[in-house]
């Protein structure tokens, strides 16, 4: 069969290309161009707002991978991810299972309450939480002391040992509602006759969920984990408003590190946009690598 | 009965009047005295444009903001323009101004981010000179004390690019204390400068008296520059003579041109902070609050002492007028005489005019007025010691009393003008532009020592000192590679007498 020339194929599909054009232009402007420029900037010794920018090849990358604080922030980002995602997945699932029960009359109310932090501005939550966890008259400490769990107030955000778990806890609370919604959506794809059949076969309670429902919703779990993992690596506004990465870098994740080097710091020296871009590109590639790994895992799981 | 005649003014009449007034103002034909406000704003020296417009102004706020918010509406009304003012903390200025410069939306009048070399701003074409907008600028400049306007600092290529209305003769680490708590602890800081031991003992006693309700000392510990400011100034008081300002001045002993972060005086100051913590005298939670939050807790009775700047005076006066507090000089290490503190020549709060601004005539007219004696008196009366007016005669005539007057007297007694390498060699500015504070900075090292994440004061400060030396060497090397004529010897001032001001004649001796 004679194949049409490419120009003819394009002409025949001209309307499709026309409709794709606006999206392509916007993607090019706001996604492709910034990514390309950040790669280019990462090869420069540049403050970001002077005319002078010197091409230095891969020197910024070399400096980044030689910097202890870069790797500390890098590892801390993954600690944050591994510390929050499993908790959100498990908690979200448990809550979704309870709230998916049609018998529970107050399910819509609880769904709303749990979802409410999701729609609250993250910067507001960050600032409010600094007061909640304040050792001086903060409600968290007042509560702990009232039940005699601690005799002295705990400096949740000022103690290097407690700051990251505290921010992680706030993160889980803030975004738990969205994980719950993902699970609810997944659970609602399970047909009612599956429940009925399981009951007839004598599968109830824990066994019903482990052996019948979970295998059905497992493909959703992979997607949820993927979305949650990428989300947990993007926590800049919460950390910046709650701790700005402190004390002494204890809560500095990669995004805060990049921000700190891209702008004038408290120390009062010039910013280093070129270096920050190198750190950002490195970080972006690392996140992409993880996403690809998860994609491969998802494909493998589907085959199983 | 005859009906009493009422004065009826319709909305249309009011609008007509307002329009007429606006037209008169925009024509620049009405004397500003017609606007009976708090300030007597003189007529412009030459007619201003009649096109009106909106002037955007950004600075670091605090008491400056309090003053501008009172003056700007009156000034704007008198000139037929509007003024949009943003008073923001330095941390925000440091982020916003560079971004606004990058995208061409910077305010008409702005302050440069901390540590940014003004020479870069001029060379990059971000700013324009004030000379065309301040009438008789030479005469105007002559009225300022010597050393405020200097080539390489705020003047470039024979033009004035930066205007200063305030002096930099102040410190940000005074001892501010609750009179009640301090008196109950048996101390009176007004009787003489307190020693480190006395500070420690007073903090312990206040904490004991507080019985969990209040503590001896507080600091905004997550604002890292506070740690560095305290150690730097206390170190100076202890005898570690050094400069103030950006990376290329701060912590450098100009007698030998070396950083002195690892000096005994710095170590003693760090140890004092650690002892306040180990004694249990520090307010719980200092690591999770910034300086304004810590400052706000003082009048609430949360702590007895804070090492902060005179800007607290205005804020406390406004927010807690009945609270009794005192202000005193920084403490001195035991058995030592307090040594002078140093500032570099030049003023503070330098205002720059955006190169893209079309509001230059109005900005220049306003700055010119603020530089006159009357403008300076107005400034001093509101801002007080927080940002002292640069004209000493105006400050004297402002009739300041109480803590403001006390703070100004204290600064006059304690602070001298020290050497400034950039005044000696303008190419030092190129080094400033190339320099990067190494990670972790001194501020972060002190924070790390305080939280216990770093161990060993001496070892940490020695490492930090070496990092700073290496960073300055590297910046000098890079500047030289770019053609700057500069060496580390530019930081050595062998004729510096640490007990006298370093003036123009001293630079000529070099």
């Amino acid at each position: 069969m004679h194949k049409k020339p490419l120009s003819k194929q394009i002409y025949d599909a001209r309307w499709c290309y026309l409709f794709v054009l606006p999206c392509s232009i916007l993607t090019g402007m706001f996604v492709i161009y910034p990514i390309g420029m950040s790669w280019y900037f990462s090869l420069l010794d540049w403050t970001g707002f002077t005319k002078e920018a010197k091409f230095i090849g891969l020197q910024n990358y070399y400096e980044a991978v030689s910097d202890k604080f870069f790797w500390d922030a890098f590892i801390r980002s993954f600690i944050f991810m591994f510390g929050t995602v499993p908790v959100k997945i498990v908690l979200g699932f448990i809550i979704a299972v309870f709230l998916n029960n049609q018998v529970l009359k107050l399910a819509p109310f609880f769904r709303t309450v749990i979802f409410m932090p999701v729609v609250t501005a993250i910067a507001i939550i960050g600032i409010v939480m600094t007061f909640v966890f304040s050792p001086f008259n903060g409600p968290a400490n007042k509560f702990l002391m009232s039940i005699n769990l601690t005799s002295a107030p705990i400096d949740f955000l000022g103690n290097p040992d407690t700051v990251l778990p505290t921010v992680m806890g706030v993160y889980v609370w803030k975004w738990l509602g969205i994980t719950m919604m993902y699970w609810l959506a997944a659970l609602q794809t399970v047909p009612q006759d599956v429940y009925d059949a399981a009951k007839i076969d004598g599968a109830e309670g824990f066994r019903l969920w482990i052996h019948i429902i979970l295998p059905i919703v497992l493909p959703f779990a992979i997607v949820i984990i993927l979305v949650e993992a990428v989300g947990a690596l993007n926590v800049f506004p919460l950390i910046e408003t709650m701790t700005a990465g402190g004390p002494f870098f204890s809560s500095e994740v990669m995004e805060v590190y990049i921000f700190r080097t891209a702008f004038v710091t408290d120390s009062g020296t010039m910013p280093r946009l070129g270096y920050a871009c190198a750190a950002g590109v490195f970080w972006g590639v690392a996140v992409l690598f993880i996403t690809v790994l998860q994609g491969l895992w998802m494909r493998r799981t589907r085959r199983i | 009965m005859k009906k009493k005649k009422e004065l009826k003014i319709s909305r249309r009449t009011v609008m007509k009047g307002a329009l007429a007034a606006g037209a008169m103002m925009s024509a620049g034909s009405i004397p500003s005295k017609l606007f009976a406000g708090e300030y007597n704003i003189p007529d412009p020296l030459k007619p201003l444009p009649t096109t009106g417009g909106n002037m955007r102004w950004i600075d670091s706020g605090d008491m400056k903001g309090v003053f501008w918010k009172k003056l700007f509406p009156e000034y704007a009304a008198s000139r037929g323009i509007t003024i949009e003012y943003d008073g923001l903390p330095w941390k925000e200025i440091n982020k916003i101004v560079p971004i606004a410069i990058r995208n061409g939306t910077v305010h008409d009048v702005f302050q440069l981010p901390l540590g940014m070399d003004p020479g870069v701003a001029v060379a990059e074409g971000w700013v324009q000179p004030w000379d065309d907008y301040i009438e008789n600028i030479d005469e105007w400049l002559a009225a300022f004390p010597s050393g405020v306007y200097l080539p390489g600092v705020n003047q470039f290529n024979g033009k004035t690019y930066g205007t200063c209305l305030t002096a930099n003769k102040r410190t940000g680490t005074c001892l501010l204390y609750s009179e009640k708590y301090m008196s109950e602890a048996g101390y009176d800081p007004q009787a003489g400068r307190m020693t480190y031991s006395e500070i420690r003992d007073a903090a312990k006693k206040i904490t004991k008296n507080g019985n969990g309700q209040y503590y001896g000392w507080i600091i905004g510990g997550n604002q890292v520059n506070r740690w560095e400011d305290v150690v730097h100034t206390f170190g100076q008081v202890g005898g570690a003579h050094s400069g103030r300002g950006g990376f290329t001045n701060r912590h450098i002993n100009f007698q030998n041109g070396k950083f002195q972060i690892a000096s005994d005086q710095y170590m003693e100051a760090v140890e004092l902070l650690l002892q306040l913590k180990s004694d249990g005298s520090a307010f719980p939670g200092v690591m999770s609050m910034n300086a304004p939050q810590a400052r706000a807790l003082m009048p609430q009775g949360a702590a007895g002492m804070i090492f902060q700047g005179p800007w607290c005076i205005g804020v406390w006066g406004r927010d807690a007028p009945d609270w009794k507090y005192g202000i005193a000089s920084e403490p001195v290490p035991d058995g030592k005489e307090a040594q002078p503190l140093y500032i570099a020549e030049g003023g503070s709060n330098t205002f720059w005019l955006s190169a893209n601004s079309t509001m230059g005539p109005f900005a220049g007219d306003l700055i010119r007025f603020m530089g006159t004696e009357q403008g300076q008196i107005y400034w001093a009366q509101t801002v007080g010691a927080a940002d002292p007016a640069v004209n000493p005669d105006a400050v004297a005539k402002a009739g300041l009393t109480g803590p403001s007057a006390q703070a100004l007297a204290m600064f006059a007694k304690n602070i001298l003008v020290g050497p400034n390498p950039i005044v000696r060699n303008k190419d030092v500015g190129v080094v400033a532009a190339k320099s990067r504070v190494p990670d972790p900075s001194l501020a972060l090292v002190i924070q790390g020592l305080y939280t216990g994440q770093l161990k060993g004061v001496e070892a940490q400060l020695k490492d930090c000192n070496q990092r700073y030396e290496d960073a300055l060497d590297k910046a000098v090397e890079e500047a030289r590679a770019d053609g700057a004529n500069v060496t580390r010897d530019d930081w050595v001032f062998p004729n510096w007498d640490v007990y006298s001001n370093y003036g123009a004649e001293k630079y000529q001796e070099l």
Side-chain angles (χ1 to χ4, degrees), chain B residues 294-363:
Chain B
R295 175 175 70 199
L297 284 170
M298 284 291 289
Q300 295 176 37
M305 292 183 276
I306 189 170
F307 303 128
Q308 263 272 8
W311 44 84
C312 295
I313 295 170
V315 177
W316 287 340
R318 183 191 62 202
D319 298 341
D322 298 329
W323 181 58
K324 301 278 183 236
Y325 66 93
I327 184 167
S329 299
E330 289 81 358
V332 65
D334 294 22
K336 287 189 179 166
E337 286 255 331
Q339 299 294 302
L341 304 169
Y342 306 98
I343 52 166
E345 287 200 66
S348 65
N349 291 305
T350 308
F351 294 114
W352 306 88
L353 181 63
S354 165
N356 300 327
S357 175
T358 55
M359 299 301 283
F362 296 100

Side-chain angles (χ1 to χ4, degrees), chain A residues 41-52:
Chain A
F41 292 159
S42 71
L43 305 174
L44 305 175
D45 179 14
W46 187 39
T47 60
F49 53 100
T50 55
K51 287 174 194 146
E52 186 195 354

